[in-house]
Amino acid sequence: MARAAEPERRLLALYTGGTIGMRSERGVLVPGRGLAAILRTLPMFHDEEHAWACGLPEDTLVLPRSSPDQRVFYTVLECQPLFDSSDMTISEWVQVAQTIERHYEQYHGFVVIHGTDTMAFAASALSFLLENLQKTVVLTGAQVPIHALWSDGRENLLGALLMAGQSACSSRISCFGATGRPKWTPGGLRPSAPPTCPLWPLWAQMSSVRAFLQPPMKGLVMETFGSGNGPTKPDLLRELRAAAERGLVIVNCTHCLQGTVTSDYATGMAMAGAGIVSGLDMTSEAALAKLSYVLGQPGLSLDDRKELLAKDLRGEMTPPTADERRPSLLGSTWGRGVAWLLGLSGSQEADAVLDALMPSLACAAAHAGDLEALQVLAAQGSDLSLEDFRGQTPLHAAARGGRARVVGMLLQRGVDVNARDEDGLSPLLLAVRGRHLGVIGLLRAAGACLSAQELEDLGTELCRLAARADGDGLRAWWQAGADLQRSGYDGRSALHVAEAAGNLEVVAFLQSLAVGVTAEAPGPRGCPVTDQT
Ligand code: ASP
């Protein structure tokens, strides 16, 4: 029976350089020519017999049959010159995009063979350059030259060719490290003059911030800590704010591999306040490519550009949903309960019940760290300094739960930082017990002090912590302003106990305090640092 003709997938493999094709020259690896010739000798990359039967030209290879009814043909186009990708810049990536544009109609898909050093930047740049793409572009490379006895390049390249061959009709750019979802109508490529916009790791702590932020700089991607936080040093923020006002576009990206830029922390919010655009969960590489793209668009105002940066253009970021943007009670079971209760208000009885429940509800919200719920309760007229049935305020509950955001919010609303519950305990003591160092710092900065009652038997407690090598417990007391040299009931101090128990880390910490190596514990406003009464 005659076989049906095999559908052909024709791909362009654009070889830009990188280790995959490198050879050793005087002891170092340099980009090497002739990748197609090497691939021709490797049966996994070329079915010589089939090529001969088809009369393929010199630069075109054919993979062994990957499925009974499909063949992948690919033409290797070698760039001139070839690059170690560390030498590539946006101009080279624009050329890669232009090459794809030139050959767009001829091929079903594209594989860009690239060095791994800057592959994530390349993939990000191509995502923005190739607008309205309808064909697959896969980036690949290797850590070991493909002609070596063992090379990751063989699997990587074969996988890339198969992926581009099989999904030739779908639309995405992929490589290890970056993916995008561009759509492309041919002719939609809009390479722009690469504007000056570098990546600035905030930890680099530049001494000459002002000089750095001057023209011709047009945009800057700032790599920040955690969820988008940076130092709140007034002079640094002043410079950033002034630069943003001059029209410098600054994007805040976290250097963490996962997570998003939020305004959860005072430090993060300070950055946002300085006119900086949140990069949410964009990678720095994507942010850099997007910033170049946005700055290269003609005729946009500064606000238009910032708006474009905040939008998801190629699947590079996850913008907050409408619900996340609005304070909502519906995010937790607890919140839904409160929403339901609030919905009951109206009758006299229901209002009386609500009034009675409010302090407990507020404490529960504070303990759960549900800032939005607290904000709604406050907006409904609840007094967030009222005590619950144990005499605890929401600040007690938030301190006990280690909820720094809530503590910060309550302190801003001016609640009593030294409120005592029925047992005479303060939010500060509860935070010390929970070893919530961040909360302790906030409370101390707002003037919280330990009472004489809370310091009773402190020496014995410190010795107990030292015996258990509980450095966090000791640190918490120290951060709360306690004197760690106090001795216990038998006259021994925590240092004596730690030495006797051989708890070396604790010994080192206590000794550093004794000789003043460890930075001063922050002093509160209006009460002595140690032995407060
Ligand atoms: N330096 C090489 C490059 O990026 C590293 C590699 O390809 O793995 O071109």
Side-chain angles (χ1 to χ4, degrees), residues 127-216:
S127 288
F128 288 100
L129 290 168
L130 299 174
E131 211 161 0
N132 300 326
L133 191 70
Q134 302 286 346
K135 294 183 178 177
T136 301
V137 179
V138 182
L139 278 86
T140 195
Q143 315 259 316
V144 178
I146 202 159
H147 53 75
L149 185 58
W150 178 87
S151 165
D152 56 332
R154 292 205 273 279
E155 224 167 279
N156 292 347
L157 180 57
L158 185 64
L161 289 166
L162 290 175
M163 200 193 292
Q166 266 157 27
S167 57
C169 296
S170 79
S171 59
R172 68 186 310 118
I173 283 196
S174 58
C175 74
F176 47 89
T179 60
R181 297 190 304 265
K183 296 173 277 140
W184 194 30
T185 27
L189 174 62
R190 271 187 271 154
S192 50
T196 316
C197 44
L199 181 64
W200 179 33
L202 204 56
W203 47 260
Q205 291 290 328
M206 306 196 33
S207 48
S208 52
V209 181
R210 184 179 301 170
F212 185 70
L213 298 175
Q214 296 303 318

Side-chain angles (χ1 to χ4, degrees), residues 286-331:
L288 210 51
K290 186 175 185 179
L291 188 56
S292 306
Y293 168 79
V294 166
L295 290 175
Q297 299 297 307
L300 297 183
S301 69
L302 181 62
D303 284 346
D304 292 341
R305 293 187 202 284
K306 287 189 174 177
E307 209 173 294
L308 212 49
L309 280 166
K311 272 195 196 142
D312 174 29
L313 302 178
R314 302 281 192 277
E316 75 282 1
M317 59 155 57
T318 322
T321 60
D323 277 352
E324 281 166 346
R325 281 195 293 270
R326 237 176 289 126
S328 161
L329 284 175
L330 301 178

Side-chain angles (χ1 to χ4, degrees), residues 7 52 66 78 131 226 238 255 280 294 347 356-357 360 381 405 427 483 509 523 533:
W52 189 81
S66 54
E78 224 165 79
E131 211 161 0
R238 203 173 36 248
H255 77 151
L280 299 173
V294 166
S347 74
L357 284 176
S360 296
R405 287 174 69 199
D483 172 8
F509 169 60
T533 51

Side-chain angles (χ1 to χ4, degrees), residues 17-20 22 83-86 114-119 141-144:
T19 300
I20 194 164
M22 285 192 181
F83 286 95
D84 181 307
S85 74
S86 299
H114 198 282
T116 61
D117 288 350
T118 60
M119 191 186 288
Q143 315 259 316
V144 178

Side-chain angles (χ1 to χ4, degrees), residues 52-63:
W52 189 81
C54 300
L56 293 184
E58 188 64 7
D59 63 349
T60 302
L61 290 85
V62 56
L63 290 184

